[in-house]
Amino acid sequence: MSARDEVTIAVLGGGTVGTSIVELLEANAADLRERVGAPLRLTGVAVRDASRSRPGIPDALLTDDPMALARSGADVVVEVMGGIETARECILAAMAAGSSVVTANKALLAEDGAALYRAAREHGVDLYFEASVAGAIPLLRPLRESLAGDRVRKVMGIVNGTTNYMLTKMDEEGVEYDAVFAEADALGYLEADPSLDVDGHDAAAKAAILAELAFHTRVTIDDVFVEGIANVTADDMAAAREMGFVIKLLAIAEVVEASADGEAGVIVRVHPAMVPKTHPLAAVRESFNAVFVEAQAAGEMMFYGRGAGGHPTASAVLGDVVAAARNRLSGGLGPGESTYSGLPVLPVGRARTEYYVNLDVADKSGVLANIASAFADEGVSIQVVHQEGHGEDAGLIVRTHAATDAALQATVDRLRGLDSVRTVVGVMRVEGEE
Ligand code: NAP
Ligand code: HSE
């Protein structure tokens, strides 16, 4: 058989995703051969401990030397080890050896995607990474290719399944944060370092990848404003429900135009937000992911599905393997890096959002006027004020109209300094209103 009568595949990583990739390569071999135009042959699977048998992976294919496998000259090297340093070295070595690379490694792409793109360009190979954001959901290819003739203005989504599962339980079953964290842990949903999920860093990595593709501007994880879900309380959940909202951890990337507030640019942020129950993202429950995209000509679109798990993630990886394998046979290349816009990444203070503010206040005359002045002094317009209780138990819930995040934060600082405000009980951004 000549080299072009088959396409060779090396897989770095034989864990949750790697095992599913090997299984699907075998189960779908006949279909894959037809779709690629040649059979795919697995040449090796790199793991840390090659002495331990893995279901579905022939022992003879296991190696504990990922670098040797990366350098072996396979047509396509699939990196599903995770982590940064070894993964980066192996991907760069694979490209230097002439292999195209498919990876699911959001952390590495969001930290140093530029180096991977550069190496792919230098060595004339492909870099595909559909599985790195929202698992099985076809999302990056639509952004990179299907919407290449349009202008994407905003991407807003639920891209971390673990926190969506936790927030769903807190909302629907009234479970407190600590209890639902323990439940997510017992189900094996949490990353080895749980702060990646609950503190928003996993979503931030995905937001950076989405922003770069959507706006043709280099964005890394350090450019993303991040707030996790650890401070979301049962009180916030109940207040949101009462007002017809649900709380979601959102990843939002948007273009803002030049204005009196400053120059044009992109803003990328991850934080919990109240979303109206009528918004499509409010209906995304449990560990599902969904991403809402607004493009100038196409209008609004939503992409929904499973964001994690061995088979869902392997499905996205294999789609990329087919694309890279076809390119090997045809001599073509898929899309490369596109950062021609070069827009600045702006601070979150420039984002325009609405706020919900829950205040514990002294119930006496003049309090409302004081509070209203704090908003007015920062140029923030109030939409609704709702009072609960009297005397010692008095509480006020204020919903604002849209203002810059900077003005809203300054208002909250002012409120904290007022004698009539005992505590600022909760503050949350409101997104997705008409
Ligand atoms: P995993 O279950 O922990 O598997 C990692 C695999 O890589 C294991 O087989 C491990 O070997 C091997 N490995 C790690 N470091 C290695 C090293 N230095 N040398 C040799 N082998 C090494 O991880 P996973 O869940 O499959 O995730 C893999 C990648 O996919 C990550 O980048 C992750 O972010 C991404 N991803 C995962 C999901 C998901 O649902 N799991 C979804 C989307 C994206 P041992 O088995 O011997 O330890
Ligand atoms: N920890 C991630 C999540 C895994 O919960 O969505 C998939 O990237």
Side-chain angles (χ1 to χ4, degrees):
M1 202 177 255
S2 84
R4 293 300 91 197
D5 290 334
E6 64 176 15
V7 177
T8 50
I9 314 291
V11 179
L12 312 182
T16 307
V17 180
T19 304
S20 293
I21 291 169
V22 174
E23 198 183 307
L24 293 185
L25 274 172
E26 170 76 23
N28 299 343
D31 289 318
L32 292 170
R33 185 186 61 227
E34 294 302 321
R35 290 168 196 179
V36 168
L40 302 183
R41 183 168 65 84
L42 181 64
T43 59
V45 178
V47 291
R48 279 195 204 91
D49 178 5
S51 66
R52 184 162 66 80
S53 283
R54 322 276 167 152
I57 307 180
D59 287 349
L61 289 184
L62 289 172
T63 169
D64 60 6
D65 190 347
M67 184 52 87
L69 189 57
R71 287 192 176 126
S72 64
D75 288 304
V76 182
V77 170
V78 176
E79 186 278 306
V80 282
M81 290 186 294
I84 303 286
E85 291 312 329
T86 307
R88 175 174 26 218
E89 284 166 20
C90 287
I91 288 175
L92 296 178
M95 288 176 170
S99 303
S100 288
V101 169
V102 173
T103 178
N105 195 330
K106 61 232 165 180
L108 175 57
L109 286 158
E111 183 178 303
D112 201 11
L116 307 190
Y117 277 123
R118 199 165 45 244
R121 197 170 52 245
E122 271 171 21
H123 299 293
V125 298
D126 274 328
L127 171 66
Y128 282 107
F129 46 91
E130 181 66 63
S132 63
V133 182
I137 307 173
L139 174 62
L140 305 192
R141 190 166 278 110
L143 283 174
R144 270 177 127 180
E145 299 180 39
S146 319
L147 289 166
D150 206 335
R151 279 170 183 256
V152 176
R153 311 309 299 172
K154 184 168 184 177
V155 179
M156 176 164 88
I158 296 165
V159 293
N160 181 272
T162 304
T163 46
N164 201 48
Y165 174 84
M166 292 171 67
L167 292 172
T168 304
K169 291 281 162 185
M170 287 174 75
D171 180 43
E172 296 179 2
E173 297 173 19
V175 186
E176 289 290 355
Y177 175 85
D178 289 343
V180 81
F181 180 94
E183 191 183 327
D185 197 15
L187 287 167
Y189 282 4
L190 289 161
E191 297 270 349
D193 172 2
S195 79
L196 293 175
D197 289 314
V198 296
D199 294 338
H201 306 301
D202 171 78
K206 294 165 179 170
I209 295 169
L210 287 173
E212 180 157 325
L213 295 182
F215 308 131
H216 303 273
T217 282
R218 191 164 288 157
V219 180
T220 72
I221 189 164
D222 293 336
D223 296 317
V224 183
F225 169 84
V226 194
E227 252 177 48
I229 65 162
N231 294 327
V232 176
T233 64
D235 273 358
D236 295 329
M237 285 285 178
R241 238 188 340 269
E242 210 163 287
M243 293 189 297
F245 289 84
V246 55
I247 296 176
K248 296 292 185 189
L249 181 70
L250 296 184
I252 303 171
E254 64 200 320
V255 175
V256 295
E257 304 298 340
S259 69
D261 297 319
E263 61 181 337
V266 302
I267 302 173
V268 193
R269 50 196 166 109
V270 168
H271 53 71
M274 290 188 179
V275 177
K277 279 197 171 142
T278 48
H279 193 281
L281 287 175
V284 179
R285 299 175 56 255
E286 304 275 349
S287 61
F288 279 86
N289 284 195
V291 177
F292 203 74
V293 177
E294 291 175 33
Q296 198 168 297
E300 297 176 339
M301 289 151 279
M302 190 157 102
F303 300 83
Y304 170 86
R306 292 199 182 277
H311 275 92
T313 309
S315 163
V317 168
L318 282 176
D320 282 351
V321 167
V322 168
R326 281 182 180 149
N327 291 341
R328 301 296 284 194
L329 295 181
S330 68
L333 275 183
E337 188 182 33
S338 174
T339 54
Y340 71 90
S341 284
L343 290 166
V345 181
L346 303 175
V348 70
R350 281 287 306 282
R352 287 184 70 78
T353 86
E354 295 176 11
Y355 260 40
Y356 141 94
V357 186
N358 183 352
L359 302 170
D360 180 4
V361 296
D363 187 17
K364 54 185 188 197
S365 58
V367 168
L368 203 51
N370 276 343
I371 289 170
S373 299
F375 282 88
D377 289 349
E378 295 298 338
V380 177
S381 159
I382 292 175
Q383 196 175 144
V384 187
V385 182
H386 174 71
Q387 174 161 358
E388 287 177 337
H390 301 283
E392 288 304 303
D393 295 327
L396 275 187
I397 290 179
V398 181
R399 276 257 324 277
T400 74
H401 285 292
T404 64
D405 206 81
L408 288 158
Q409 285 292 350
T411 307
V412 172
D413 288 344
R414 264 181 199 266
L415 291 169
R416 289 201 169 102
L418 292 181
D419 289 342
S420 47
V421 174
R422 282 195 290 253
T423 329
V424 177
V425 181
V427 177
M428 197 168 293
R429 295 171 182 86
V430 180
E431 297 290 341
E433 288 270 65
E434 287 293 298

